[in-house]
Structures are given as structure tokens and as C-alpha cells.
Amino acid sequence: MFSDLLISDNVRNFAADYQTKMVVTFEKEYLKELYEDKKARNKKYRFQPQIIKKYTQVIDLMMELSNVMGLTQYGALHYEHLHGNKEGLSSVRVNDQYRIEFREIIEDNKTIAELVSLTDLSNHYK
């Protein structure tokens, strides 16, 4: 009975964490590889070590926040909704040259997205 109580407390704690932390998913395999392995297998997606380090720091920050609106408190990230051919995407800056593009997914008619799907790490000026 005691172990059942522990399991149910763990489930409750996980559910509470899920609701208070943003969920980040990776639409492209290279984005996941950059985050987990600090490098991509495909040579097309090779980045300088300082770019990868900043990228992982930004992803870690996103995972700690409760929603995307928390990104607005970090001015250096320049959180913004994109326009034109990238309508429907948002972005944050990794540095002056690169940004992380992501799709905000709203679940259960919530007005603030809690699930973010990363779409690209792009060169801002290309």
C-alpha cells in the first residue's frame, strides 16, 4: 500500500510538472541531434560550437518556462511572431546571426501555447 502511495504521488508530481513547464519537440532530426549530441550527423547542419552551446541554453530555458510568454522577459532573445512566407511561426534569437524558429501549438483552446515544436535553426540573413 505504501508503494502505491508513492507511485500515485510521483504521477501527480509529473502531471504538475507537465502543466508548469513548456514541452519542446523537434520537427527535424538535426535539431534533436544538436540538442542531445551537440552535433548533427548531416554535414549540412554543422554549426560552430558556440552556436550549439547557445542553442542548447535557449532550449533549456524554454523547457523551464511555463509558456512562450515567458520568453518576453528575456530581451536578448527577441521573441517575435514571423510574417510573410514564415507566417504562423515564431522565433527567438540564438545570436545576431541565428534564430530558432518554432511553431506554437495551442491545446484545449488555451490562449497561451505550452507545447512548442522547433522547426529550424536558421541563418537570419539568408
Side-chain angles (χ1 to χ4, degrees), residues 107-119:
E107 291 185 343
D108 301 327
N109 296 321
K110 292 180 184 174
T111 55
I112 299 173
E114 293 180 350
L115 180 65
V116 175
S117 182
L118 301 180
T119 58

Side-chain angles (χ1 to χ4, degrees), residues 10-85:
N10 288 338
V11 169
R12 265 195 297 278
N13 290 338
F14 175 77
D17 282 347
Y18 177 78
Q19 292 174 352
T20 60
K21 308 268 180 167
M22 203 168 6
V23 176
V24 176
T25 61
F26 302 89
E27 284 188 17
K28 296 178 181 167
E29 187 63 27
Y30 86 93
L31 294 168
K32 185 176 181 179
E33 291 171 355
L34 286 174
Y35 180 72
E36 293 177 349
D37 303 331
K38 311 300 184 245
K39 63 182 178 180
R41 284 181 273 157
N42 187 332
K43 289 182 182 181
K44 179 181 177 184
Y45 301 112
R46 297 278 167 91
F47 296 93
Q48 295 294 320
Q50 66 270 22
I51 300 297
I52 296 171
K53 180 179 179 183
K54 181 70 173 171
Y55 167 77
T56 57
Q57 289 172 342
V58 172
I59 301 304
D60 288 342
L61 174 66
M62 292 174 82
M63 289 179 174
E64 286 299 314
L65 296 173
S66 61
N67 57 58
V68 293
M69 295 313 294
L71 296 169
T72 61
Q73 65 184 323
Y74 301 95
L77 293 178
H78 297 279
Y79 166 71
E80 64 180 334
H81 295 281
L82 301 178
H83 304 286
N85 63 343

